[in-house]
Amino acid sequence: MKAIRIVIIGGVAGGASAAARARRHSESARITVIERGPDVSFANCGLPYHIGGEIEDRGELALQTPESLRQLLNLEVITLTEAIAIDPQARQVTLRSVADGSESVIGYDELILSPGASPLRPPLPGIDHDKILTLRNLQDMDRIKAEVEKVDSVAVIGAGFIGLEMAEQLIRLGKKVSLVELLPQVLPQLDAEVVRPLQRELVAQGVELFLGDGIDGFEDRNGRPAALLKSGRVLETGLVLLSIGVRPESTLGREAGIELGPRGHIRVDAYQRTSAPHVYAVGDVCESPDPLLGGHVAIALGGPANRQGRTAADHIFLGERALPFRGSIGTSIVRVFGKTAGIAGASERRLQTAGLPYRTVTVNGPSHASYFPGAETITLKLLWSPEDGRVLGAQAVGGEGVDKRLDVMATAIHGRMTIDDLVHLEFAYAPPFNSAKDVINTAGFAATNLRDGLLVAVDSLADAEGQPIIDVRPPASAAALPVPGAVNIPLPALRSRLEEIDKSRPVFTVCQMGKTSYFAARILANHGYDARSILGGAHHQAPREGD
Amino acid sequence: MKAIRIVIIGGVAGGASAAARARRHSESARITVIERGPDVSFANCGLPYHIGGEIEDRGELALQTPESLRQLLNLEVITLTEAIAIDPQARQVTLRSVADGSESVIGYDELILSPGASPLRPPLPGIDHDKILTLRNLQDMDRIKAEVEKVDSVAVIGAGFIGLEMAEQLIRLGKKVSLVELLPQVLPQLDAEVVRPLQRELVAQGVELFLGDGIDGFEDRNGRPAALLKSGRVLETGLVLLSIGVRPESTLGREAGIELGPRGHIRVDAYQRTSAPHVYAVGDVCESPDPLLGGHVAIALGGPANRQGRTAADHIFLGERALPFRGSIGTSIVRVFGKTAGIAGASERRLQTAGLPYRTVTVNGPSHASYFPGAETITLKLLWSPEDGRVLGAQAVGGEGVDKRLDVMATAIHGRMTIDDLVHLEFAYAPPFNSAKDVINTAGFAATNLRDGLLVAVDSLADAEGQPIIDVRPPASAAALPVPGAVNIPLPALRSRLEEIDKSRPVFTVCQMGKTSYFAARILANHGYDARSILGGAHHQAPREGD
């Protein structure tokens, strides 16, 4: 039998995983990896942390070298070589050397496209200034690291995951950092109120934050770049880092007649097959079936890329006996100094765009037993389907333990679990690690109480504006962080002071974190009031410099 | 309508949760809590940490007082009062004052038993020595804390969760600590090989560990207790702490004719109903339907106790519209100095006892991206059903992030997920929090590879004894922690040195952590060898002082 020939374009993440998995299936397969850059399989998620010095050793980021891949996986690795054309009929790829421009043709039995996505660099005036950089690979990282050393200020444009990580690391280096975001919030993948603590943390750590402000262009000021904001503000700085998103590198696929999605991604099925026979696509370049909302979705993340690569290789060797890729629910996380925030599944914005009905509740809870030192508050926002109670998404913000709650919620979403399931989840409990009731259980309690009518609630104080509000906190807490217009009746006194409350109109209850106000609303409801608990609590009224 | 009267016997954990939930359903219900001790709703899981001083403020442990429960929940709380008889026909409980022995009778519409379990104190010679103490409540804690201050050595008998926490906290106080366990391992809820790192850590921190040794009795030596071990050893010490297990406080139920299980627990259904009408039982006293293995199981943990209390209250008000309790999978965790270990679901021992078929795989992975500072190795043991791939249990040991993996696995078990699901779980990935492939994904990969025949493996080096073993680590690693009898052929050289390996008999591959050996076994298998990877790796050959 003639050995199968597999060609993989792109040797990072998905491409490297596909190569490794293919080799596990077959020692005789001829596997060739084409890489435009000099490196394969580097830790692209670690790049900001080497710039900031938190990862000291650059060598840690080079997970594999062409030589190690040759040795370990018996791969043929061709670096500094670009694939410039695919002929799916002839099953051939045309290659061009980056060094000398010479061209050659390579045949394949199966082709896997893993070219990734490139940072956006919009055609703005002045965009070609040599101090406006983007971060994608080790060479970009080296360049930025060297430039950063020469300046005392950096403007980061775009407050997504990379932008936030860069801002944190640059502050770590003692730079003056400006962070500009077109939308009125950082981390637009998350809902606005969830990221407020991140915004406060950025400001508290000295980041100059410009939200809801775009870029008109750039100018040179004595060799230094200046960003011209839409608001009219001019940011003179030493260096500009652009992190406003990525564009899939799908030109090669498009020119070969392969079907693309509306935003230019290569469309694939659950086995990572493109519209062209024997051509797969994996990683940031592709869009896969969306397991949450239907249709297709492109999510540029390392974990799914690796699994997609594995799936493509499995399908080459096993056909439809391979386990299909189940799609990405976009689980992601970012650390911003002492705060962490992330998401699993759909945000409100995505559900609204998709036109899907949902309900939501936000609860607060301690990261571990509140009586054990070091507990921090975690805020968890839960979204579910009112039809069947299925969990559609979760977002969390806090410090310690945010990652744990996101991973549990990601598991629950993958398992198509419901709000009733969340009530019953049984977590590892000892005081250093958790409470007997995890904040996820609390979210399940609140959600099922909402569904069952035990809890009638609004999200935030804004929803109660102009209405009677009873602040049921102890007088000291109520005085420390007062709720404008609220009457303070501490919970223990509520039953004896019911006559102070007008029964003829709705009444809202508020406390610090949204738990005692639920207790109060139950008391009132059981006494015949139309009582509604304010889920977010007064907690969310904390200073909002970051808004 | 006459207000319903609910009597709850026992005001901690399950009893307190039942009372709170009942009040949410009804303001008019008359709810009475009977508590033998002076305290209600204290943080019993925090007791060891106050003894050790890690929780400084004793007040943190008193979650509620009788007065606060009266105020917040309008409960009638009767402390220092024992329930001594139940008459289910007359719906009456006879009470006796602990202070003066006076008796009274209280009627109920619904009765909830939450008396808990008491520490075992076996009738051994010398057991009544006044320096032999047990830990259950705040008074026990105060007594132990006071006694500990007077001595320089303590013997802890029983190496379960409490015993380990106490040993850790006593070392923290600078005491000489002996830890005695009848079984040949600490933490018998977990499988023996999983807890070895804990045993090593205990020894490294100075705990004198006696495994597989029981107690014949105690003697007095000049006012100090001495424990006489079955091995003949005599432990003279300042104080003995007994933590060898608990016995359900079910006498009251038994005498009322309520059905008990084989180990004396009150048997309940999924709504926490006992065999007597209008009598519920919750918490450590009861055994509930076992969601994993069938039959009934008693698991003494705070989280399930709280949920059971909630379920009983819901059933009182909602009947069968209430959400039934789904049973406990026994998720639990313990910190022992720098190490953490825990379990979710069934151990090998429980599956063997139940006679259920299972398969198992153990994998190692980093707690977060290995290139980011501070990553620690997590060892994850996975058990699943060979029939349908359903996950039956997981155990983890390591440092950072063990709790996270246990909680995810608990969620997967509750969701009846399979090894294929573990492959696809998508976790929150950024270098400070995880790798692109979590150790749980790795376990899913290994388990599905085993099922699909891509991985042929044995658990540990012991399974390969006397057989040809190829050590595929780099020469330096192989020399640092050598595998006796193994031939070192580093993975990169394997393909070119195949002729050194006898094809006529099975060959085993080993590396540090069990990953490279899988790669090597694939190479060999694809070249026609009967190759088997040693899952545990040479890693588990580290010094075993704690064995």
Side-chain angles (χ1 to χ4, degrees):
Chain A
M1 199 185 86
K2 191 171 148 284
I4 188 173
R5 168 141 205 178
I6 300 170
V7 172
I8 300 171
I9 297 177
V12 185
S17 291
R21 182 69 173 175
R23 180 57 76 218
R24 310 270 184 263
H25 282 291
S26 166
E27 274 291 295
S28 61
R30 187 168 166 198
I31 306 173
T32 304
V33 175
I34 311 294
E35 172 59 47
R36 182 169 47 191
D39 303 301
V40 288
S41 198
F42 62 91
N44 40 10
C45 299
L47 305 183
Y49 299 100
H50 182 59
I51 293 171
E54 196 162 349
I55 298 173
E56 286 181 33
D57 180 4
R58 184 186 188 279
E60 292 283 334
L61 299 174
L63 304 179
Q64 297 290 345
T65 63
E67 184 50 31
S68 73
L69 287 181
R70 269 177 214 118
Q71 286 192 343
L72 296 174
L73 293 171
N74 192 23
L75 304 183
E76 182 181 15
V77 181
I78 307 177
T79 55
L80 296 170
T81 299
E82 198 168 8
I84 56 170
I86 303 168
D87 182 341
Q89 271 65 47
R91 297 210 210 169
Q92 287 181 339
V93 181
T94 305
L95 306 178
R96 180 163 60 199
S97 161
V98 171
D100 60 16
S102 63
E103 295 189 5
S104 57
V105 169
I106 184 173
Y108 64 79
D109 295 309
E110 306 289 342
L111 177 66
I112 300 176
L113 302 176
S114 177
S118 54
L120 283 174
R121 227 186 142 88
L124 292 169
I127 189 77
D128 293 328
H129 196 289
D130 67 353
K131 302 291 184 193
I132 301 176
L133 303 179
T134 57
L135 177 61
R136 180 185 187 183
N137 56 31
L138 294 171
Q139 289 66 49
D140 296 336
M141 176 187 77
D142 293 338
R143 171 85 194 278
I144 292 172
K145 195 168 165 65
E147 293 291 343
V148 160
E149 280 175 18
K150 300 181 206 160
V151 301
D152 57 5
S153 67
V154 182
V156 178
I157 314 297
F161 290 99
I162 309 286
L164 291 176
E165 289 172 350
M166 281 308 311
E168 183 207 60
Q169 292 294 310
L170 291 166
I171 289 284
R172 190 176 188 279
L173 292 174
K175 307 299 170 187
K176 178 175 177 304
V177 178
S178 307
L179 180 58
V180 182
E181 168 60 47
L182 179 63
L183 292 169
Q185 66 168 92
V186 303
L187 218 54
Q189 292 88 345
L190 274 65
D191 292 325
E193 81 282 8
V194 178
V195 299
R196 282 208 190 98
L198 294 189
Q199 291 166 186
R200 289 197 289 269
E201 180 77 357
L202 286 163
V203 172
Q205 298 283 346
V207 174
E208 200 180 17
L209 192 58
F210 299 94
L211 296 176
D213 206 348
I215 304 285
D216 270 341
F218 299 93
E219 280 182 2
D220 181 84
R221 304 267 167 115
N222 303 316
R224 288 158 51 92
L228 314 178
L229 305 194
K230 287 197 186 300
S231 60
R233 187 144 189 158
V234 177
L235 289 182
E236 293 194 33
T237 185
L239 186 69
V240 172
L241 295 183
L242 273 186
S243 58
I244 56 175
V246 295
R247 193 187 48 198
E249 298 239 29
S250 56
T251 307
L252 190 63
R254 192 187 70 232
E255 290 176 353
I258 291 172
E259 183 189 354
L260 304 188
R263 288 168 53 231
H265 301 86
I266 296 178
R267 182 157 282 188
V268 297
D269 69 7
Y271 295 113
Q272 305 303 132
R273 290 181 290 198
T274 69
S275 64
H278 305 286
V279 181
Y280 298 79
V282 303
D284 296 0
V285 78
C286 74
E287 60 170 39
S288 319
D290 185 334
L292 276 176
L293 310 181
H296 285 70
V297 65
I299 293 184
L301 290 168
N306 287 335
R307 264 187 297 281
Q308 290 175 331
R310 198 172 187 271
T311 301
D314 280 351
H315 188 266
I316 288 172
F317 289 94
L318 305 175
E320 308 218 342
R321 285 184 297 125
L323 209 57
F325 179 63
R326 297 205 189 154
S328 166
I329 59 167
T331 315
S332 43
I333 192 166
V334 67
R335 185 194 73 183
V336 179
F337 307 102
K339 292 287 175 194
T340 299
I343 186 169
S347 65
E348 276 202 68
R349 194 177 294 115
R350 277 188 71 202
L351 290 168
Q352 284 164 0
T353 306
L356 288 183
Y358 65 90
R359 290 198 74 173
T360 172
V361 72
T362 299
V363 297
N364 301 295
S367 57
H368 61 246
S370 51
Y371 56 79
F372 193 88
E376 300 178 72
T377 297
I378 293 175
T379 300
L380 180 69
K381 178 174 183 173
L382 175 68
L383 296 94
W384 72 95
S385 163
E387 285 162 22
D388 53 8
R390 187 179 157 208
V391 178
L392 299 172
Q395 296 166 62
V397 62
E400 173 193 83
V402 164
D403 59 329
K404 177 161 81 173
R405 276 65 179 197
L406 289 172
D407 284 357
V408 168
M409 293 308 306
T411 305
I413 294 168
H414 265 285
R416 305 179 75 84
M417 293 169 84
T418 68
I419 53 174
D420 289 317
D421 292 314
L422 301 187
V423 167
H424 286 281
L425 290 178
E426 184 187 345
F427 299 109
Y429 164 44
F433 302 107
N434 214 331
S435 306
K437 290 172 195 151
D438 187 86
V439 65
I440 291 172
N441 297 133
T442 304
F445 294 152
T448 53
N449 283 339
L450 273 172
R451 177 196 59 197
D452 301 338
L454 270 172
L455 170 61
V456 183
V458 297
D459 284 339
S460 72
L461 272 168
D463 302 302
E465 212 170 305
Q467 310 273 349
I469 302 176
I470 313 295
D471 182 342
V472 296
R473 290 176 293 171
S477 310
L481 191 66
V483 171
V487 175
N488 182 220
I489 306 181
L491 185 68
L494 185 59
R495 289 185 182 87
S496 61
R497 290 174 62 181
L498 290 175
E499 75 281 1
E500 297 176 34
I501 305 167
D502 181 358
K503 215 170 193 165
S504 69
R505 53 188 294 208
V507 59
F508 293 77
T509 57
V510 71
C511 64
Q512 196 77 2
M513 307 289 264
K515 191 171 163 188
T516 311
S517 65
Y518 157 57
F519 301 163
R522 282 308 306 154
I523 293 173
L524 292 170
N526 279 330
H527 283 283
Y529 289 81
D530 176 359
R532 301 161 192 199
S533 175
I534 295 170
L535 292 169
H539 174 64
H540 281 298
Q541 292 302 296
R544 296 193 175 183
E545 307 88 347
D547 280 15
Chain B
M1 199 183 85
K2 192 171 146 285
I4 189 172
R5 169 142 203 178
I6 300 171
V7 172
I8 300 172
I9 297 177
V12 185
S17 290
R21 182 70 172 174
R23 181 56 76 219
R24 310 268 184 264
H25 283 290
S26 166
E27 274 292 294
S28 61
R30 186 168 166 200
I31 306 173
T32 305
V33 175
I34 312 293
E35 173 57 47
R36 183 168 47 191
D39 302 302
V40 289
S41 199
F42 61 90
N44 41 9
C45 298
L47 305 183
Y49 299 100
H50 181 58
I51 292 171
E54 195 161 351
I55 297 173
E56 287 181 32
D57 181 2
R58 184 185 187 281
E60 293 282 334
L61 300 174
L63 304 179
Q64 297 291 346
T65 64
E67 185 50 31
S68 73
L69 288 181
R70 271 179 212 116
Q71 287 193 344
L72 296 174
L73 293 171
N74 192 23
L75 303 183
E76 183 181 16
V77 181
I78 306 177
T79 56
L80 296 169
T81 298
E82 199 168 6
I84 57 169
I86 304 168
D87 182 342
Q89 271 65 49
R91 297 210 209 171
Q92 287 180 340
V93 181
T94 305
L95 306 178
R96 182 162 60 200
S97 159
V98 171
D100 61 14
S102 63
E103 295 189 4
S104 57
V105 169
I106 185 173
Y108 65 79
D109 296 310
E110 305 290 343
L111 178 65
I112 300 176
L113 303 177
S114 177
S118 53
L120 283 175
R121 225 183 145 89
L124 293 169
I127 188 80
D128 294 328
H129 195 289
D130 68 352
K131 302 292 185 194
I132 302 178
L133 303 179
T134 56
L135 178 61
R136 180 186 187 181
N137 55 33
L138 294 172
Q139 289 68 48
D140 296 337
M141 175 188 77
D142 294 337
R143 171 83 195 280
I144 292 171
K145 194 169 166 66
E147 293 291 343
V148 160
E149 280 176 16
K150 300 179 206 161
V151 301
D152 58 4
S153 66
V154 182
V156 178
I157 315 296
F161 291 98
I162 310 285
L164 291 176
E165 289 172 351
M166 282 308 313
E168 183 208 59
Q169 292 294 307
L170 291 166
I171 289 284
R172 190 175 188 278
L173 293 173
K175 308 297 169 186
K176 177 175 177 305
V177 178
S178 308
L179 180 58
V180 182
E181 168 59 48
L182 180 63
L183 293 170
Q185 66 169 91
V186 303
L187 219 54
Q189 292 87 344
L190 274 66
D191 292 325
E193 81 282 9
V194 178
V195 297
R196 282 207 190 99
L198 295 189
Q199 293 167 184
R200 289 197 289 267
E201 180 77 358
L202 286 163
V203 171
Q205 299 283 345
V207 174
E208 200 181 18
L209 192 58
F210 300 94
L211 295 177
D213 206 348
I215 304 286
D216 269 340
F218 299 94
E219 281 180 3
D220 181 83
R221 306 267 166 114
N222 304 315
R224 287 158 53 91
L228 314 178
L229 304 194
K230 286 196 188 299
S231 60
R233 187 144 191 160
V234 177
L235 288 183
E236 292 193 35
T237 184
L239 186 69
V240 173
L241 295 183
L242 274 185
S243 58
I244 56 175
V246 294
R247 193 187 49 200
E249 298 239 31
S250 57
T251 308
L252 191 63
R254 193 186 69 233
E255 290 176 353
I258 290 172
E259 183 189 354
L260 304 187
R263 287 168 54 230
H265 300 86
I266 296 178
R267 182 159 282 186
V268 296
D269 69 6
Y271 294 112
Q272 303 305 129
R273 289 181 292 198
T274 69
S275 64
H278 305 287
V279 182
Y280 298 79
V282 303
D284 296 1
V285 79
C286 75
E287 59 170 40
S288 320
D290 184 334
L292 275 176
L293 309 181
H296 285 70
V297 65
I299 294 184
L301 290 169
N306 287 336
R307 263 188 296 281
Q308 291 175 333
R310 197 171 188 272
T311 301
D314 279 351
H315 188 265
I316 287 172
F317 289 94
L318 305 175
E320 308 217 342
R321 285 185 297 127
L323 209 57
F325 179 64
R326 298 203 189 158
S328 166
I329 60 167
T331 316
S332 42
I333 191 166
V334 67
R335 184 195 74 184
V336 179
F337 307 101
K339 291 288 175 192
T340 299
I343 185 169
S347 64
E348 275 202 69
R349 194 177 295 115
R350 277 187 72 201
L351 290 168
Q352 283 164 1
T353 305
L356 289 182
Y358 65 90
R359 289 198 76 173
T360 172
V361 72
T362 298
V363 297
N364 302 293
S367 57
H368 61 244
S370 51
Y371 56 80
F372 192 86
E376 300 178 72
T377 297
I378 293 175
T379 300
L380 180 70
K381 178 173 181 174
L382 174 68
L383 296 93
W384 72 95
S385 163
E387 285 161 21
D388 52 10
R390 188 180 155 205
V391 178
L392 299 172
Q395 296 166 62
V397 62
E400 174 193 83
V402 165
D403 58 329
K404 177 161 81 173
R405 275 63 179 197
L406 289 172
D407 284 357
V408 168
M409 292 309 304
T411 305
I413 293 169
H414 266 285
R416 305 180 75 85
M417 294 169 83
T418 68
I419 53 174
D420 289 317
D421 292 315
L422 301 187
V423 166
H424 286 281
L425 289 178
E426 183 187 345
F427 300 109
Y429 164 44
F433 303 105
N434 214 331
S435 306
K437 290 173 194 150
D438 187 85
V439 64
I440 291 172
N441 298 132
T442 304
F445 293 152
T448 52
N449 282 340
L450 272 171
R451 178 196 59 198
D452 301 338
L454 269 172
L455 169 60
V456 183
V458 296
D459 284 340
S460 71
L461 272 169
D463 302 302
E465 213 171 305
Q467 311 272 351
I469 302 177
I470 311 296
D471 183 341
V472 296
R473 290 175 294 172
S477 311
L481 190 65
V483 171
V487 175
N488 182 219
I489 305 182
L491 185 68
L494 185 60
R495 288 184 181 87
S496 61
R497 291 175 60 183
L498 291 175
E499 76 281 0
E500 298 176 34
I501 304 168
D502 181 358
K503 215 170 194 164
S504 70
R505 51 188 295 206
V507 59
F508 295 77
T509 56
V510 71
C511 65
Q512 195 78 0
M513 309 290 264
K515 190 171 163 190
T516 313
S517 65
Y518 157 57
F519 301 165
R522 283 309 306 157
I523 293 172
L524 291 171
N526 280 329
H527 282 284
Y529 289 81
D530 176 359
R532 301 161 192 198
S533 174
I534 295 170
L535 292 170
H539 175 62
H540 281 297
Q541 292 301 294
R544 294 193 177 182
E545 309 87 350
D547 280 13

